[in-house]
Every structure is written in C-alpha cells, then in structure tokens.
Amino acid sequence: MDSRLVCLVVFVISSAVPYTKANGIITPLNYNFTHSDCGTTKLCVEKPNACNPSGTSECFFASTRINITDKSLAIELSGSSIGYIALAAGLSSNLSKGDNAIFVCGNNSGTFFFETGGFQNKIVTVIPFNASNIQYRLKQPSVIQCAFTIPINLSNNNINILGINFNKTKIPVFLEVYKGSYNGGVFGEPMTAFGSSVSVDLADVKSSGATNSISTTTALGLLAAVALRFL
C-alpha cells in the first residue's frame, strides 16, 4: 500500500437515544433520499439504473456532493442487507487490491452502527476516522440507509480529500457498493452489488458512468470508502 495512505475506521453503535462519539452524534434520518437531484447537485451511482432510493430493497444507491462553503463531502448510501452495506472508494479499479477506504452502515439485530476503514483481499480493517453529521434509517425487512459528511481542505486550485490532493476541476476515483453479513462484531466477506467498480469524477455530478446500470456479480461496492492518509 502507498505509504501516504492508511485505512481507518470508526465503530459507532447507536442506542435508543443517540450518543456522542469522537466524531459527533448519530441521529435518525430526517429526510428521504431521492434520485431527482442526481446529475444536477449530486453525483449518483445505483443499481438498477435510475432506481428509487427512497427505501425500496431493490435499489442500491450512493451519492456524493462537494460543499465548498462548508468544506465537506456529503455522502448518502442505501441498500438491502441483513448485516451491512458499504461504499468503497479508491484510486484503482481493483479496489480490494489497491489503496482504498470504506464507509460501512449496518444493522446489528435492530441497532444501527457506522464504521470507516479499508479492506484488502476482501477483509475489512477497522480503525477510527473523522466523519460527522451521521444519520440513519433502518426499514424492515432489510433496508439500511445512512448519510454523513467527511471534511475536505481547499488551497488555491487544489482540493484535499482524506489526505489526497486533487485539482478542484477533476477528482477521479473509483466507487463500488458492497453488502455483507455481520455477526458478533465480525464482518462477513464484502459482496459487490454493482459487479465492478465505477470510474467517476467527484468534481462533475454528470461524470461518465455515474448513473449507468452495472451487471450484478459476486460483490457490493459504496461514498463512501475513500483512500485515507497517515495522520
């Protein structure tokens, strides 16, 4: 792995009353996800193509939105799993073999949890990382939804996302959404919902491949995860 990067994760389990962790408070989602803003104010990836992310189990969905004023990257993730769903991001198309990060939203016997980290050879690594404004919704029988933000830094014509510098006008990454089981604190193998990673430009909400349907194979890929730098 590139020496600039390390996979980090936060493990936060919410109870009936949300509580504060190092990265903020987890609260129930107070709005519905929608596909209507895709390609205008946010970049979206989904399976099937243009599916409704309002909470149907047939739709795996992730979106990203860069907010220059707040210096943040907002992420939405929705899908169906009896354990967890995750958004992975990296700098190469083979996410599990290269530098990557992963954002995990899960359902542990009716209790929501949120984690960040990375994975190599289909093994999830868990280490704390900064994320905030974490919101969630669990819908029976198996729908999991979450939204959260990660900080970005701006300087001149550059934008720094999780320790990686990009030009503000072009932020090329690969995204994939995953799902898996979760039992006693142990992650099951990530399975792709998309079939392969999707090449996108986070600076362009209309970037190629962002809303194309992808054939399903054996694994699931999401906002979430992104390559992280050594602190």
Side-chain angles (χ1 to χ4, degrees):
M1 178 176 287
D2 191 314
S3 61
R4 297 176 306 164
L5 308 175
V6 65
C7 297
L8 305 175
V9 73
V10 168
F11 179 65
V12 181
I13 299 180
S14 68
S15 59
V17 179
Y19 61 94
T20 302
K21 292 290 286 185
N23 62 341
I25 297 176
I26 297 178
T27 58
L29 268 168
N30 56 12
Y31 70 98
N32 291 322
F33 291 170
T34 176
H35 193 275
S36 61
D37 294 333
C38 295
T40 56
T41 63
K42 63 186 181 185
L43 182 152
C44 301
V45 291
E46 72 278 306
K47 172 69 179 181
N49 185 40
C51 63
N52 178 10
S54 64
T56 60
S57 60
E58 295 81 10
C59 185
F60 285 92
F61 172 88
S63 76
T64 65
R65 187 196 314 256
I66 293 177
N67 189 319
I68 299 299
T69 302
D70 292 342
K71 296 181 179 179
S72 66
L73 175 64
I75 297 171
E76 297 174 327
L77 179 62
S78 181
S80 176
S81 174
I82 59 173
Y84 69 88
I85 58 174
L87 176 63
L91 304 180
S92 65
S93 59
N94 191 343
L95 290 176
S96 67
K97 298 294 185 180
D99 300 313
N100 66 73
I102 190 165
F103 298 96
V104 179
C105 299
N107 183 350
N108 183 18
S109 301
T111 299
F112 173 78
F113 66 88
F114 175 79
E115 307 183 10
T116 67
F119 70 110
Q120 294 291 319
N121 298 319
K122 299 184 179 180
I123 298 175
V124 176
T125 303
V126 176
I127 307 170
F129 173 67
N130 183 27
S132 59
N133 302 319
I134 303 166
Q135 300 182 70
Y136 74 95
R137 178 181 293 120
L138 303 178
K139 298 180 67 174
Q140 295 297 330
S142 60
V143 173
I144 302 171
Q145 297 184 320
C146 62
F148 54 94
T149 59
I150 58 175
I152 61 175
N153 293 311
L154 304 171
S155 60
N156 299 322
N157 293 322
N158 295 325
I159 183 169
N160 185 293
I161 302 177
L162 299 172
I164 307 300
N165 282 315
F166 299 94
N167 187 287
K168 286 181 181 178
T169 61
K170 190 171 183 62
I171 309 174
V173 298
F174 291 88
L175 301 179
E176 192 166 355
V177 174
Y178 292 88
K179 66 179 179 180
S181 62
Y182 184 81
N183 185 12
V186 178
F187 289 101
E189 179 180 320
M191 304 296 289
T192 181
F194 285 177
S196 63
S197 60
V198 183
S199 176
V200 300
D201 176 3
L202 296 183
D204 181 6
V205 295
K206 297 181 180 180
S207 64
S208 176
T211 57
N212 288 341
S213 176
I214 304 168
S215 61
T216 302
T217 58
T218 58
L220 170 155
L222 163 72
L223 256 285
V226 186
L228 310 179
R229 185 181 182 181
F230 281 107
L231 300 180

